[in-house]
Amino acid sequence: MILKRLLLLLKPLSVSSPPSHINPQILEFLENRRKVHHDAINFCQAILQKKSIEWKAVHRNNLSQPINDVDLVVTVGGDGTLLQASHLMDDKIPVLGVNSDPTQIDEVEEFGSEFDAHRSTGHLCAATVENFEQVLDSILEGQIVPSELTRIMMSVNGLDLSTYALNDILIAHPYPASVSRFSFRIKEGDQPCSPLVNCRSSGLRVSTATGSTAAMQSAGGFPMPILSQDLQYMLREPISLGATSNYMHGLIKRNQTIVATWTCRKGVIYIDGSHVNYTFKDGDIIAISSKAPVLKVLLPHKFL
């Protein structure tokens, strides 16, 4: 890979003060997490200083415009930082995730009875400080190439949303205790591939293969090969669907679209979590497919 310009996208250091009554062990743990992340940022910057690459570092909260004019994005944080970067990226620039603060199993075992000692999962992160320079050199030498991950495209009343989902989307009423009312069917072009399903539930979740091991699997879905171009959908806590109960959960093939008509006063599409969302209203039609531009990701060895 010809690599001349690089963007280093950083998870910000925590600046909020924890409550004074918090367990001292937790305070020490949180301060250590902050230090480990800070050290990881400094380490990655020191490595880049040694390379013949033009680069700049930006905190992710300071980035709101599409990413362009670089040859590689390196995120330093966890999966959340990589997901945030993906929302501003097209299908041309690859991204490498550096897990700045990996979970330490011995910590989890030692403190598990006191508090949650998990750190960053880094499911999509191919590097840590332990191997960042080695992975970067392999990219520069063309020994590692990015994989193309499917993303979700959404439209409301025929207008495409500007953000693509790498993990999953949730379509639901904005208030969790309220019932979501909508109908949907799966189509291939203009031809229906399923009956019309009229449902009352807690919403509709759709995931990519990448996101199939996250909330989808926790809700009873199944993990998919990460390079699959299909999507997986599931109704959340549906009230009895009668004859259409077989369509509570299934796949949306690459050439198919799931089309939902909303019949509540309010609705929200949550994209890869809660930070990016779009509102819609009664009567709006939401179309969901895997026709979004792919995202090029340097994946961990476990996926290769």
Side-chain angles (χ1 to χ4, degrees):
M1 178 185 297
I2 299 175
L3 186 54
K4 296 181 179 180
R5 294 162 299 180
L6 181 149
L7 174 65
L8 192 68
L9 193 63
L10 309 175
K11 174 184 176 181
L13 295 167
S14 176
V15 293
S16 59
S17 299
S20 57
H21 62 270
I22 197 169
N23 183 327
Q25 280 186 316
I26 299 178
L27 278 175
E28 183 179 350
F29 175 74
L30 293 175
E31 179 56 34
N32 180 259
R33 289 205 62 182
R34 183 181 182 282
K35 180 180 184 302
V36 169
H37 177 59
H38 181 266
D39 291 346
I41 291 173
N42 288 339
F43 178 83
C44 291
Q45 290 177 327
I47 295 298
L48 291 175
Q49 292 282 12
K50 300 190 301 181
K51 308 299 178 182
S52 300
I53 304 171
E54 178 185 337
W55 63 277
K56 64 178 179 179
V58 178
H59 285 93
R60 71 184 191 191
N61 292 347
N62 296 331
L63 193 67
S64 59
Q65 298 301 312
I67 297 171
N68 49 43
D69 296 328
V70 297
D71 303 306
L72 176 67
V73 175
V74 175
T75 62
V76 183
D79 288 329
T81 306
L82 194 150
L83 282 171
Q84 189 165 342
S86 76
H87 297 157
L88 299 170
M89 298 178 66
D90 58 18
D91 56 356
K92 299 178 180 61
I93 303 170
V95 58
L96 166 68
V98 179
N99 187 350
S100 63
D101 186 26
T103 292
Q104 308 297 323
I105 299 302
D106 57 338
E107 275 187 334
V108 175
E109 294 175 349
E110 180 179 355
F111 299 117
S113 62
E114 301 293 330
F115 60 90
D116 183 3
H118 286 86
R119 295 179 179 244
S120 174
T121 301
H123 182 65
L124 295 175
C125 296
T128 65
V129 294
E130 301 295 331
N131 67 345
F132 173 60
E133 184 169 19
Q134 176 186 352
V135 172
L136 182 62
D137 287 342
S138 295
I139 295 171
L140 291 170
E141 295 166 5
Q143 298 175 3
I144 300 178
V145 295
S147 299
E148 295 186 348
L149 301 187
T150 293
R151 292 192 282 184
I152 301 173
M153 173 178 280
M154 299 141 280
S155 70
V156 177
N157 298 329
L159 299 176
D160 292 340
L161 302 188
S162 60
T163 305
Y164 309 122
L166 178 60
N167 260 3
D168 55 27
I169 64 170
L170 172 63
I171 302 176
H173 195 283
Y175 302 111
S178 294
V179 173
S180 296
R181 293 178 173 85
F182 57 96
S183 60
F184 75 88
R185 67 168 19 120
I186 298 172
K187 292 184 174 182
E188 183 173 337
D190 293 329
Q191 299 301 312
C193 301
S194 76
L196 183 68
V197 180
N198 299 303
C199 50
R200 293 175 293 161
S201 68
S202 295
L204 173 67
R205 186 181 301 280
V206 181
S207 83
T208 62
T210 302
S212 66
T213 57
M216 181 62 76
Q217 186 174 10
S218 297
F222 51 84
M224 302 164 66
I226 197 167
L227 298 183
S228 172
Q229 297 180 332
D230 297 338
L231 304 179
Q232 185 176 170
Y233 76 91
M234 179 182 289
L235 294 178
R236 299 172 74 223
E237 303 165 344
I239 299 172
S240 177
L241 299 176
T244 56
S245 60
N246 289 338
Y247 294 92
M248 289 172 44
H249 175 216
L251 289 177
I252 309 163
K253 295 295 186 179
R254 174 65 176 170
N255 56 345
Q256 295 177 339
T257 301
I258 187 167
V259 181
T261 301
W262 196 251
T263 52
C264 288
R265 287 181 60 192
K266 298 178 180 180
V268 184
I269 302 174
Y270 298 98
I271 299 176
D272 288 334
S274 61
H275 296 297
V276 180
N277 58 77
Y278 293 84
T279 59
F280 54 91
K281 61 187 185 302
D282 186 10
D284 284 347
I285 298 173
I286 303 101
I288 305 155
S289 72
S290 59
K291 296 179 176 64
V294 298
L295 183 72
K296 293 183 177 180
V297 182
L298 283 306
L299 289 174
H301 283 297
K302 63 185 177 183
F303 293 120
L304 305 177

